[in-house]
Structure formats: structure tokens, C-alpha cells
mmCIF file of all heavy atoms in Angstrom:
data_model
loop_
_atom_site.group_PDB
_atom_site.id
_atom_site.type_symbol
_atom_site.label_atom_id
_atom_site.label_comp_id
_atom_site.label_asym_id
_atom_site.label_seq_id
_atom_site.Cartn_x
_atom_site.Cartn_y
_atom_site.Cartn_z
ATOM 1 N N THR G 1 145.842 172.489 146.825
ATOM 2 C CA THR G 1 144.869 173.532 146.509
ATOM 3 C C THR G 1 144.939 173.902 145.028
ATOM 4 O O THR G 1 145.978 173.750 144.389
ATOM 5 C CB THR G 1 145.113 174.794 147.335
ATOM 6 O OG1 THR G 1 146.453 175.261 147.102
ATOM 7 C CG2 THR G 1 144.931 174.533 148.826
ATOM 8 N N VAL G 2 143.831 174.391 144.527
ATOM 9 C CA VAL G 2 143.786 174.954 143.191
ATOM 10 C C VAL G 2 143.097 176.304 143.305
ATOM 11 O O VAL G 2 142.047 176.416 143.940
ATOM 12 C CB VAL G 2 143.079 174.020 142.189
ATOM 13 C CG1 VAL G 2 141.679 173.676 142.636
ATOM 14 C CG2 VAL G 2 143.064 174.630 140.802
ATOM 15 N N ASP G 3 143.701 177.311 142.766
ATOM 16 C CA ASP G 3 143.210 178.673 142.887
ATOM 17 C C ASP G 3 142.722 179.211 141.542
ATOM 18 O O ASP G 3 143.165 178.764 140.480
ATOM 19 C CB ASP G 3 144.310 179.594 143.407
ATOM 20 C CG ASP G 3 144.651 179.313 144.856
ATOM 21 O OD1 ASP G 3 143.943 178.509 145.500
ATOM 22 O OD2 ASP G 3 145.642 179.890 145.343
ATOM 23 N N LEU G 4 141.844 180.181 141.646
ATOM 24 C CA LEU G 4 141.387 180.899 140.463
ATOM 25 C C LEU G 4 141.515 182.383 140.764
ATOM 26 O O LEU G 4 140.751 182.930 141.572
ATOM 27 C CB LEU G 4 139.945 180.558 140.118
ATOM 28 C CG LEU G 4 139.421 181.182 138.819
ATOM 29 C CD1 LEU G 4 140.114 180.562 137.613
ATOM 30 C CD2 LEU G 4 137.909 181.019 138.714
ATOM 31 N N GLN G 5 142.500 183.011 140.171
ATOM 32 C CA GLN G 5 142.696 184.444 140.324
ATOM 33 C C GLN G 5 141.864 185.150 139.268
ATOM 34 O O GLN G 5 142.048 184.931 138.075
ATOM 35 C CB GLN G 5 144.169 184.812 140.160
ATOM 36 C CG GLN G 5 144.444 186.299 140.252
ATOM 37 C CD GLN G 5 144.190 186.851 141.642
ATOM 38 O OE1 GLN G 5 144.647 186.295 142.636
ATOM 39 N NE2 GLN G 5 143.456 187.965 141.734
ATOM 40 N N MET G 6 140.954 185.991 139.720
ATOM 41 C CA MET G 6 140.044 186.683 138.802
ATOM 42 C C MET G 6 140.301 188.182 138.869
ATOM 43 O O MET G 6 140.329 188.770 139.957
ATOM 44 C CB MET G 6 138.589 186.376 139.177
ATOM 45 C CG MET G 6 138.280 184.889 139.228
ATOM 46 S SD MET G 6 136.527 184.542 139.491
ATOM 47 C CE MET G 6 136.325 185.156 141.156
ATOM 48 N N THR G 7 140.499 188.788 137.733
ATOM 49 C CA THR G 7 140.738 190.222 137.644
ATOM 50 C C THR G 7 139.748 190.860 136.673
ATOM 51 O O THR G 7 139.075 190.154 135.917
ATOM 52 C CB THR G 7 142.172 190.516 137.185
ATOM 53 O OG1 THR G 7 142.357 189.990 135.866
ATOM 54 C CG2 THR G 7 143.194 189.888 138.119
ATOM 55 N N SER G 8 139.691 192.160 136.709
ATOM 56 C CA SER G 8 138.792 192.912 135.819
ATOM 57 C C SER G 8 137.387 192.331 135.829
ATOM 58 O O SER G 8 136.770 192.099 134.780
ATOM 59 C CB SER G 8 139.353 192.920 134.382
ATOM 60 O OG SER G 8 140.648 193.481 134.364
ATOM 61 N N LEU G 9 136.896 192.103 137.010
ATOM 62 C CA LEU G 9 135.596 191.440 137.135
ATOM 63 C C LEU G 9 134.461 192.310 136.610
ATOM 64 O O LEU G 9 134.497 193.545 136.720
ATOM 65 C CB LEU G 9 135.355 191.066 138.598
ATOM 66 C CG LEU G 9 136.154 189.836 139.059
ATOM 67 C CD1 LEU G 9 136.212 189.766 140.577
ATOM 68 C CD2 LEU G 9 135.535 188.571 138.489
ATOM 69 N N LYS G 10 133.479 191.630 136.046
ATOM 70 C CA LYS G 10 132.310 192.279 135.462
ATOM 71 C C LYS G 10 131.049 191.770 136.161
ATOM 72 O O LYS G 10 131.047 190.657 136.693
ATOM 73 C CB LYS G 10 132.232 191.945 133.977
ATOM 74 C CG LYS G 10 133.486 192.235 133.192
ATOM 75 C CD LYS G 10 133.376 191.711 131.769
ATOM 76 C CE LYS G 10 134.659 191.919 130.992
ATOM 77 N NZ LYS G 10 134.563 191.369 129.613
ATOM 78 N N PRO G 11 129.983 192.541 136.135
ATOM 79 C CA PRO G 11 128.731 192.044 136.733
ATOM 80 C C PRO G 11 128.296 190.691 136.168
ATOM 81 O O PRO G 11 127.719 189.879 136.902
ATOM 82 C CB PRO G 11 127.734 193.149 136.382
ATOM 83 C CG PRO G 11 128.563 194.388 136.314
ATOM 84 C CD PRO G 11 129.868 193.946 135.712
ATOM 85 N N GLU G 12 128.596 190.432 134.917
ATOM 86 C CA GLU G 12 128.203 189.143 134.321
ATOM 87 C C GLU G 12 129.038 187.968 134.825
ATOM 88 O O GLU G 12 128.753 186.824 134.493
ATOM 89 C CB GLU G 12 128.265 189.206 132.788
ATOM 90 C CG GLU G 12 129.555 189.767 132.231
ATOM 91 C CD GLU G 12 129.461 191.248 131.907
ATOM 92 O OE1 GLU G 12 128.900 192.023 132.734
ATOM 93 O OE2 GLU G 12 129.962 191.642 130.823
ATOM 94 N N ASP G 13 130.050 188.253 135.634
ATOM 95 C CA ASP G 13 130.811 187.176 136.278
ATOM 96 C C ASP G 13 130.121 186.686 137.544
ATOM 97 O O ASP G 13 130.567 185.709 138.156
ATOM 98 C CB ASP G 13 132.219 187.650 136.634
ATOM 99 C CG ASP G 13 133.062 187.942 135.400
ATOM 100 O OD1 ASP G 13 132.998 187.163 134.433
ATOM 101 O OD2 ASP G 13 133.799 188.958 135.420
ATOM 102 N N THR G 14 129.056 187.349 137.933
ATOM 103 C CA THR G 14 128.314 186.939 139.124
ATOM 104 C C THR G 14 127.758 185.538 138.937
ATOM 105 O O THR G 14 127.058 185.249 137.961
ATOM 106 C CB THR G 14 127.162 187.920 139.389
ATOM 107 O OG1 THR G 14 127.707 189.203 139.717
ATOM 108 C CG2 THR G 14 126.288 187.434 140.536
ATOM 109 N N ALA G 15 128.103 184.649 139.880
ATOM 110 C CA ALA G 15 127.698 183.249 139.779
ATOM 111 C C ALA G 15 128.184 182.504 141.014
ATOM 112 O O ALA G 15 128.970 183.038 141.811
ATOM 113 C CB ALA G 15 128.291 182.599 138.528
ATOM 114 N N VAL G 16 127.729 181.282 141.140
ATOM 115 C CA VAL G 16 128.328 180.361 142.097
ATOM 116 C C VAL G 16 129.456 179.650 141.363
ATOM 117 O O VAL G 16 129.251 179.119 140.270
ATOM 118 C CB VAL G 16 127.305 179.343 142.635
ATOM 119 C CG1 VAL G 16 127.991 178.364 143.583
ATOM 120 C CG2 VAL G 16 126.167 180.069 143.353
ATOM 121 N N TYR G 17 130.628 179.675 141.965
ATOM 122 C CA TYR G 17 131.801 179.069 141.347
ATOM 123 C C TYR G 17 132.092 177.730 142.024
ATOM 124 O O TYR G 17 132.154 177.641 143.254
ATOM 125 C CB TYR G 17 133.003 179.996 141.467
ATOM 126 C CG TYR G 17 132.943 181.129 140.479
ATOM 127 C CD1 TYR G 17 132.019 182.161 140.629
ATOM 128 C CD2 TYR G 17 133.802 181.173 139.377
ATOM 129 C CE1 TYR G 17 131.938 183.202 139.711
ATOM 130 C CE2 TYR G 17 133.739 182.205 138.456
ATOM 131 C CZ TYR G 17 132.805 183.213 138.624
ATOM 132 O OH TYR G 17 132.739 184.240 137.707
ATOM 133 N N TYR G 18 132.303 176.724 141.185
ATOM 134 C CA TYR G 18 132.530 175.368 141.663
ATOM 135 C C TYR G 18 133.905 174.858 141.242
ATOM 136 O O TYR G 18 134.341 175.074 140.116
ATOM 137 C CB TYR G 18 131.480 174.419 141.098
ATOM 138 C CG TYR G 18 130.065 174.721 141.513
ATOM 139 C CD1 TYR G 18 129.253 175.543 140.752
ATOM 140 C CD2 TYR G 18 129.535 174.169 142.677
ATOM 141 C CE1 TYR G 18 127.949 175.821 141.124
ATOM 142 C CE2 TYR G 18 128.228 174.436 143.056
ATOM 143 C CZ TYR G 18 127.451 175.261 142.278
ATOM 144 O OH TYR G 18 126.152 175.530 142.659
ATOM 145 N N CYS G 19 134.506 174.141 142.143
ATOM 146 C CA CYS G 19 135.756 173.452 141.880
ATOM 147 C C CYS G 19 135.425 171.989 141.588
ATOM 148 O O CYS G 19 134.498 171.438 142.195
ATOM 149 C CB CYS G 19 136.650 173.572 143.120
ATOM 150 S SG CYS G 19 138.134 172.584 143.114
ATOM 151 N N ALA G 20 136.186 171.372 140.681
ATOM 152 C CA ALA G 20 135.923 169.982 140.345
ATOM 153 C C ALA G 20 137.228 169.259 140.051
ATOM 154 O O ALA G 20 138.208 169.878 139.617
ATOM 155 C CB ALA G 20 134.996 169.903 139.133
ATOM 156 N N ALA G 21 137.226 167.956 140.274
ATOM 157 C CA ALA G 21 138.405 167.122 140.043
ATOM 158 C C ALA G 21 138.063 166.005 139.070
ATOM 159 O O ALA G 21 136.978 165.420 139.132
ATOM 160 C CB ALA G 21 138.896 166.526 141.360
ATOM 161 N N SER G 22 139.019 165.710 138.192
ATOM 162 C CA SER G 22 138.825 164.673 137.180
ATOM 163 C C SER G 22 140.002 163.732 137.146
ATOM 164 O O SER G 22 141.156 164.148 137.300
ATOM 165 C CB SER G 22 138.651 165.318 135.798
ATOM 166 O OG SER G 22 138.594 164.329 134.788
ATOM 167 N N ARG G 23 139.712 162.472 136.909
ATOM 168 C CA ARG G 23 140.770 161.488 136.741
ATOM 169 C C ARG G 23 141.317 161.476 135.313
ATOM 170 O O ARG G 23 142.282 160.770 135.028
ATOM 171 C CB ARG G 23 140.241 160.091 137.107
ATOM 172 C CG ARG G 23 140.017 159.909 138.601
ATOM 173 C CD ARG G 23 139.301 158.629 138.934
ATOM 174 N NE ARG G 23 137.894 158.684 138.562
ATOM 175 C CZ ARG G 23 137.015 157.749 138.885
ATOM 176 N NH1 ARG G 23 137.390 156.682 139.554
ATOM 177 N NH2 ARG G 23 135.743 157.867 138.518
ATOM 178 N N LEU G 24 140.740 162.280 134.442
ATOM 179 C CA LEU G 24 141.181 162.355 133.058
ATOM 180 C C LEU G 24 142.223 163.451 132.865
ATOM 181 O O LEU G 24 142.197 164.452 133.585
ATOM 182 C CB LEU G 24 139.983 162.634 132.146
ATOM 183 C CG LEU G 24 138.869 161.596 132.141
ATOM 184 C CD1 LEU G 24 137.681 162.119 131.351
ATOM 185 C CD2 LEU G 24 139.366 160.276 131.582
ATOM 186 N N PRO G 25 143.106 163.314 131.898
ATOM 187 C CA PRO G 25 144.056 164.393 131.584
ATOM 188 C C PRO G 25 143.359 165.496 130.792
ATOM 189 O O PRO G 25 142.319 165.252 130.173
ATOM 190 C CB PRO G 25 145.112 163.682 130.729
ATOM 191 C CG PRO G 25 144.353 162.579 130.067
ATOM 192 C CD PRO G 25 143.331 162.117 131.067
ATOM 193 N N ILE G 26 143.903 166.714 130.799
ATOM 194 C CA ILE G 26 143.264 167.805 130.060
ATOM 195 C C ILE G 26 143.737 167.876 128.617
ATOM 196 O O ILE G 26 143.291 168.739 127.865
ATOM 197 C CB ILE G 26 143.436 169.174 130.754
ATOM 198 C CG1 ILE G 26 144.882 169.674 130.636
ATOM 199 C CG2 ILE G 26 142.982 169.119 132.187
ATOM 200 C CD1 ILE G 26 145.007 171.145 131.023
ATOM 201 N N THR G 27 144.672 167.034 128.239
ATOM 202 C CA THR G 27 145.060 166.926 126.841
ATOM 203 C C THR G 27 144.834 165.501 126.373
ATOM 204 O O THR G 27 145.044 164.559 127.137
ATOM 205 C CB THR G 27 146.529 167.303 126.648
ATOM 206 O OG1 THR G 27 147.340 166.448 127.474
ATOM 207 C CG2 THR G 27 146.775 168.748 127.027
ATOM 208 N N PRO G 28 144.444 165.288 125.115
ATOM 209 C CA PRO G 28 144.182 166.308 124.104
ATOM 210 C C PRO G 28 142.849 167.047 124.278
ATOM 211 O O PRO G 28 142.676 168.144 123.758
ATOM 212 C CB PRO G 28 144.161 165.515 122.800
ATOM 213 C CG PRO G 28 143.700 164.159 123.206
ATOM 214 C CD PRO G 28 144.265 163.931 124.574
ATOM 215 N N ALA G 29 141.908 166.464 125.011
ATOM 216 C CA ALA G 29 140.619 167.133 125.209
ATOM 217 C C ALA G 29 140.685 167.945 126.497
ATOM 218 O O ALA G 29 141.042 167.408 127.540
ATOM 219 C CB ALA G 29 139.495 166.117 125.283
ATOM 220 N N PRO G 30 140.353 169.231 126.461
ATOM 221 C CA PRO G 30 140.560 170.108 127.607
ATOM 222 C C PRO G 30 139.537 170.007 128.730
ATOM 223 O O PRO G 30 139.516 170.845 129.608
ATOM 224 C CB PRO G 30 140.543 171.498 126.981
ATOM 225 C CG PRO G 30 139.702 171.376 125.785
ATOM 226 C CD PRO G 30 139.924 169.991 125.266
ATOM 227 N N LEU G 31 138.705 169.019 128.769
ATOM 228 C CA LEU G 31 137.780 168.771 129.881
ATOM 229 C C LEU G 31 136.851 169.953 130.160
ATOM 230 O O LEU G 31 136.737 170.427 131.297
ATOM 231 C CB LEU G 31 138.558 168.426 131.150
ATOM 232 C CG LEU G 31 139.432 167.179 131.102
ATOM 233 C CD1 LEU G 31 140.098 166.946 132.454
ATOM 234 C CD2 LEU G 31 138.647 165.959 130.678
ATOM 235 N N VAL G 32 136.184 170.437 129.139
ATOM 236 C CA VAL G 32 135.264 171.556 129.325
ATOM 237 C C VAL G 32 133.882 171.089 129.764
ATOM 238 O O VAL G 32 133.069 171.897 130.231
ATOM 239 C CB VAL G 32 135.150 172.417 128.052
ATOM 240 C CG1 VAL G 32 136.501 173.001 127.668
ATOM 241 C CG2 VAL G 32 134.570 171.589 126.902
ATOM 242 N N ALA G 33 133.606 169.828 129.607
ATOM 243 C CA ALA G 33 132.292 169.305 129.980
ATOM 244 C C ALA G 33 132.296 168.871 131.438
ATOM 245 O O ALA G 33 133.190 168.157 131.891
ATOM 246 C CB ALA G 33 131.926 168.128 129.084
ATOM 247 N N GLY G 34 131.277 169.275 132.150
ATOM 248 C CA GLY G 34 131.184 168.898 133.550
ATOM 249 C C GLY G 34 131.088 167.404 133.774
ATOM 250 O O GLY G 34 131.505 166.905 134.819
ATOM 251 N N THR G 35 130.600 166.696 132.794
ATOM 252 C CA THR G 35 130.455 165.246 132.912
ATOM 253 C C THR G 35 131.795 164.529 132.959
ATOM 254 O O THR G 35 131.857 163.347 133.306
ATOM 255 C CB THR G 35 129.621 164.693 131.735
ATOM 256 O OG1 THR G 35 130.206 165.145 130.504
ATOM 257 C CG2 THR G 35 128.188 165.177 131.817
ATOM 258 N N LYS G 36 132.861 165.237 132.606
ATOM 259 C CA LYS G 36 134.200 164.642 132.634
ATOM 260 C C LYS G 36 134.807 164.661 134.031
ATOM 261 O O LYS G 36 135.886 164.123 134.244
ATOM 262 C CB LYS G 36 135.124 165.399 131.676
ATOM 263 C CG LYS G 36 134.665 165.373 130.215
ATOM 264 C CD LYS G 36 134.687 163.977 129.644
ATOM 265 C CE LYS G 36 134.344 163.998 128.155
ATOM 266 N NZ LYS G 36 134.328 162.631 127.572
ATOM 267 N N TYR G 37 134.139 165.308 134.958
ATOM 268 C CA TYR G 37 134.671 165.449 136.311
ATOM 269 C C TYR G 37 133.987 164.486 137.272
ATOM 270 O O TYR G 37 132.797 164.210 137.158
ATOM 271 C CB TYR G 37 134.509 166.901 136.784
ATOM 272 C CG TYR G 37 135.401 167.843 136.015
ATOM 273 C CD1 TYR G 37 135.036 168.296 134.755
ATOM 274 C CD2 TYR G 37 136.629 168.254 136.527
ATOM 275 C CE1 TYR G 37 135.863 169.141 134.021
ATOM 276 C CE2 TYR G 37 137.454 169.106 135.808
ATOM 277 C CZ TYR G 37 137.061 169.534 134.554
ATOM 278 O OH TYR G 37 137.892 170.367 133.832
ATOM 279 N N ASP G 38 134.779 164.020 138.212
ATOM 280 C CA ASP G 38 134.297 162.990 139.117
ATOM 281 C C ASP G 38 133.832 163.524 140.470
ATOM 282 O O ASP G 38 132.987 162.909 141.120
ATOM 283 C CB ASP G 38 135.416 161.957 139.345
ATOM 284 C CG ASP G 38 135.879 161.322 138.043
ATOM 285 O OD1 ASP G 38 135.115 160.497 137.502
ATOM 286 O OD2 ASP G 38 136.986 161.656 137.575
ATOM 287 N N TRP G 39 134.426 164.610 140.913
ATOM 288 C CA TRP G 39 134.073 165.140 142.225
ATOM 289 C C TRP G 39 133.887 166.655 142.138
ATOM 290 O O TRP G 39 134.598 167.324 141.370
ATOM 291 C CB TRP G 39 135.176 164.818 143.247
ATOM 292 C CG TRP G 39 135.390 163.357 143.429
ATOM 293 C CD1 TRP G 39 134.634 162.493 144.177
ATOM 294 C CD2 TRP G 39 136.439 162.570 142.850
ATOM 295 N NE1 TRP G 39 135.151 161.227 144.094
ATOM 296 C CE2 TRP G 39 136.249 161.226 143.293
ATOM 297 C CE3 TRP G 39 137.518 162.853 142.013
ATOM 298 C CZ2 TRP G 39 137.100 160.190 142.918
ATOM 299 C CZ3 TRP G 39 138.362 161.830 141.636
ATOM 300 C CH2 TRP G 39 138.153 160.500 142.084
ATOM 301 N N TRP G 40 132.997 167.161 142.967
ATOM 302 C CA TRP G 40 132.658 168.573 142.947
ATOM 303 C C TRP G 40 132.612 169.145 144.357
ATOM 304 O O TRP G 40 132.253 168.440 145.313
ATOM 305 C CB TRP G 40 131.280 168.779 142.306
ATOM 306 C CG TRP G 40 131.243 168.452 140.851
ATOM 307 C CD1 TRP G 40 131.124 167.215 140.296
ATOM 308 C CD2 TRP G 40 131.338 169.377 139.769
ATOM 309 N NE1 TRP G 40 131.145 167.316 138.921
ATOM 310 C CE2 TRP G 40 131.269 168.639 138.575
ATOM 311 C CE3 TRP G 40 131.477 170.764 139.686
ATOM 312 C CZ2 TRP G 40 131.337 169.236 137.311
ATOM 313 C CZ3 TRP G 40 131.524 171.357 138.438
ATOM 314 C CH2 TRP G 40 131.459 170.598 137.261
ATOM 315 N N GLY G 41 132.949 170.405 144.454
ATOM 316 C CA GLY G 41 132.771 171.109 145.712
ATOM 317 C C GLY G 41 131.363 171.655 145.820
ATOM 318 O O GLY G 41 130.548 171.495 144.911
ATOM 319 N N GLN G 42 131.101 172.323 146.924
ATOM 320 C CA GLN G 42 129.752 172.835 147.179
ATOM 321 C C GLN G 42 129.522 174.207 146.566
ATOM 322 O O GLN G 42 128.386 174.671 146.488
ATOM 323 C CB GLN G 42 129.495 172.887 148.687
ATOM 324 C CG GLN G 42 130.021 174.127 149.400
ATOM 325 C CD GLN G 42 131.541 174.164 149.500
ATOM 326 O OE1 GLN G 42 132.218 173.171 149.261
ATOM 327 N NE2 GLN G 42 132.083 175.324 149.852
ATOM 328 N N GLY G 43 130.575 174.855 146.152
ATOM 329 C CA GLY G 43 130.463 176.140 145.485
ATOM 330 C C GLY G 43 130.669 177.322 146.406
ATOM 331 O O GLY G 43 130.476 177.231 147.621
#
């Protein structure tokens, strides 16, 4: 499992949140682009 603990939530945090998995390492590039991920959840 991978968790996301969210605190001090704001109305602008309202969204559908998606989990994704990548075969790439997060260093040196931190994988901020969705195109770097291979699989996605439904949200």
C-alpha cells in the first residue's frame, strides 16, 4: 500500500485523487509528470 496523509485541508484541495505506479526511479528526476507512470487507479 501507499498512503497519503493530508492535514490542514483547504477547499482548494477538493479533487479526485489518483494513485499511480512507475517503473522509473524518482531520482534524479522526481517523476512529476503523469506520463512517467505506467499504471493508474480509478481515483
Side-chain angles (χ1 to χ4, degrees):
T1 57
V2 57
D3 290 352
L4 185 69
Q5 178 67 49
M6 305 186 293
T7 63
S8 302
L9 284 163
K10 307 173 183 178
E12 49 264 44
D13 293 318
T14 295
V16 177
Y17 283 71
Y18 297 91
C19 171
S22 174
R23 288 171 288 188
L24 299 172
I26 72 167
T27 58
L31 299 182
V32 300
T35 53
K36 300 295 185 181
Y37 292 80
D38 302 287
W39 299 281
W40 293 81
Q42 83 289 347

